[in-house]
Amino acid sequence: MGVVRVVVAVLLLGVLLHSDGQGTSSRDGRHRTRAASLSQSVTSFGDSLYRQLTSGNLDNLIFSPFSVFVALAMTLLGADGVTKRELMTVLSVGPQQGVHHTLHNTIASFQTGLDPETNLTLRVANAVYYDQFRITVLPGFSQNIERLYGGALKPFEEQNPEAAINSWVAEVTDGMIQNFLRPGYIAASGSLLMLLNAVFFEGLWASQFPPEFTHDSDFTTATGTVVQVPRMYNSDAYIRLKNIEALNAQVVELPYKGDRFSLFLVLPNTWDGLMNLERRLNGQMITNIMNDMPGTVRAELSLPKFRLKTREKLKEHLQAIGLRSAFSNTANFRRLSSSRVKINTVIHEAVIEVNESGSRAAAVTAAGPVNITGPSHRVVVNKPFVFILRDKISGLNIFMGRVADPSQQSP
């Protein structure tokens, strides 16, 4: 079955921490407030990281702000002092936000709140692997990681420890990410502990593209080169559409079945408008736009098929946005271990596939009020754009990226 697929794995190599003692939310109003705060925190963090990942280049990009956020939130459990303050600042979370319990409740809702009739899958999993002979992990850290994030600690295998980790990543991501760590990586990097978060999404469009209408067509890349790419076509798509004058762009919302998840496309009005759009687009604007989309309309829609893959070491990007202590010899993870430890590196890998049936990432289908007449809008995606895959119930941006040249297909 063809679908749009998005997968991600995040790996933190180093050492992490113990609970910060935040209590669970007992009132619905308090829970909603914390959920809204979490949404804004993830959006703000994602915007900062997106700017770092796209700075000085015109490359294609796919990453999961939510996955990186969760991985760093797990490290926050064990941080203290300056390290803890920097993590909280970078993640845009406050001391009373209850971020760990809110994340726990949100991830639980992903597992139980999805409608099986939509054929939607959203899988979020965490794991912690460690060298039991070289580091003692404090009981508080172990208990809280398992209680709040479901990530039981597992000792490294004595022979080829990378194999078990690679197997876990492949299983969670439905085989989309293979051989995440090369043989010998753990010994070469001197890693004592590895913390992983992986996300897998698969969903069908509310309005699918008939495969027989897909044909090669012009796409003007971010460098101005015109390339031929397979472009899908739907003469009667149900979408949401909004012009944003401040960005000189339009936003197109493509809902997945169930309408809980949507893929938002931010399309510049000119082929060379991507960088100007990215300079102006910020976290608050993203939230305001996606929370205030108009009703569903019928439209002719033409969209390129694409498959993107990104693998990045995030250490320098995270340092640039303020996370410095965690990577230094002054790192304070005393709630993780009595040993002096620091984060060694952060590896992030993500894949997205978009085709006629849907996507792998996160999805749901929706339909608000629709026009009874024939399509009155025409949307042709033939130039670079930004995309965001969003859970509209929690307000979380699960995946984010840019398509600068869809002819550059990833293997």
Side-chain angles (χ1 to χ4, degrees), residues 22-26 30 34 101 105 147:
Q22 295 174 352
T24 58
S25 172
S26 59
R30 192 178 187 190
R34 286 184 168 183
H101 289 95
N105 293 336
R147 178 173 63 91

Side-chain angles (χ1 to χ4, degrees), residues 3-6 201-203 205 256 263 353-354 357-361:
V3 286
V4 182
R5 313 164 75 195
V6 180
F201 169 88
E202 185 170 25
W205 300 124
Y256 296 96
L263 186 68
E353 295 178 0
V354 175
S357 299
S359 312
R360 277 193 169 182

Side-chain angles (χ1 to χ4, degrees), residues 83-366:
T83 303
K84 180 177 181 178
R85 289 195 295 273
E86 286 185 355
L87 273 164
M88 293 179 70
T89 299
V90 166
L91 295 176
S92 298
V93 299
Q96 305 303 317
Q97 194 168 326
V99 63
H100 303 299
H101 289 95
T102 306
L103 278 171
H104 172 81
N105 293 336
T106 299
I107 293 172
S109 79
F110 291 155
Q111 317 302 335
T112 61
L114 303 179
D115 182 358
E117 294 185 3
T118 64
N119 290 321
L120 182 100
T121 301
L122 177 57
R123 188 181 305 132
V124 181
N126 303 298
V128 180
Y129 290 83
Y130 73 109
D131 188 331
Q132 61 181 326
F133 302 110
R134 298 174 60 205
I135 184 173
T136 300
V137 178
L138 296 177
F141 171 76
S142 176
Q143 292 165 8
N144 280 294
I145 284 289
E146 185 167 5
R147 178 173 63 91
L148 294 167
Y149 292 95
L153 268 70
K154 304 173 185 178
F156 287 152
E157 298 285 347
E158 289 191 32
Q159 301 295 324
N160 192 13
E162 295 82 8
I165 295 171
N166 289 342
S167 177
W168 181 87
V169 171
E171 180 180 359
V172 175
T173 63
D174 203 34
M176 290 190 74
I177 296 180
Q178 300 276 353
N179 303 315
F180 187 63
L181 296 177
R182 68 180 185 274
Y185 181 88
I186 290 173
S189 64
S191 300
L192 304 177
L193 180 144
M194 295 188 172
L195 186 153
L196 298 102
N197 169 269
V199 179
F200 172 80
F201 169 88
E202 185 170 25
L204 300 174
W205 300 124
S207 297
Q208 296 186 21
F209 297 84
E212 62 270 22
F213 292 158
T214 298
H215 64 282
D216 287 346
S217 187
D218 289 348
F219 186 99
T220 304
T221 71
T223 61
T225 303
V226 178
V227 296
Q228 289 280 300
V229 299
R231 199 155 67 216
M232 307 177 295
Y233 176 75
N234 188 339
S235 63
D236 194 18
Y238 291 97
I239 65 173
R240 298 183 179 95
L241 185 64
K242 187 175 187 177
N243 290 316
I244 309 295
E245 291 185 8
L247 297 176
N248 190 25
Q250 60 180 338
V251 177
V252 182
E253 179 186 347
L254 308 181
Y256 296 96
K257 283 190 174 181
D259 203 26
R260 172 171 176 172
F261 296 90
S262 287
L263 186 68
F264 290 83
L265 312 179
V266 188
L267 311 174
N269 289 329
T270 60
W271 72 264
D272 58 350
L274 179 65
M275 297 187 74
N276 185 54
L277 179 154
E278 290 175 334
R279 280 194 294 268
R280 298 183 182 186
L281 192 64
N282 58 50
Q284 188 60 57
M285 187 180 293
I286 290 172
T287 297
N288 293 342
I289 290 171
M290 293 191 293
N291 286 345
D292 191 32
M293 292 295 290
T296 305
V297 298
R298 295 169 67 180
E300 290 184 59
L301 176 63
S302 182
L303 175 69
K305 294 174 64 171
F306 59 91
R307 185 184 196 275
L308 307 181
K309 180 178 180 179
T310 297
R311 182 180 175 95
E312 283 277 350
K313 292 183 178 180
L314 300 182
K315 177 178 177 179
E316 291 184 0
H317 298 297
L318 293 170
Q319 288 174 319
I321 60 177
L323 187 58
R324 300 181 181 89
S325 170
F327 298 103
S328 73
N329 291 334
T330 61
N332 186 342
F333 288 111
R334 68 180 184 85
R335 299 185 177 193
L336 170 77
S337 173
S338 56
S339 304
R340 293 291 300 276
V341 296
K342 65 179 180 180
I343 297 177
N344 185 26
T345 189
V346 181
I347 303 173
H348 182 71
E349 184 168 333
V351 183
I352 183 169
E353 295 178 0
V354 175
N355 64 20
E356 291 87 351
S357 299
S359 312
R360 277 193 169 182
V364 178
T365 302

Side-chain angles (χ1 to χ4, degrees), residues 376-393:
S376 58
H377 301 273
R378 186 169 185 263
V379 178
V380 179
V381 182
N382 58 4
K383 49 188 175 291
F385 59 93
V386 175
F387 65 87
I388 299 169
L389 201 161
R390 183 176 177 88
D391 172 17
K392 294 186 292 184
I393 289 183

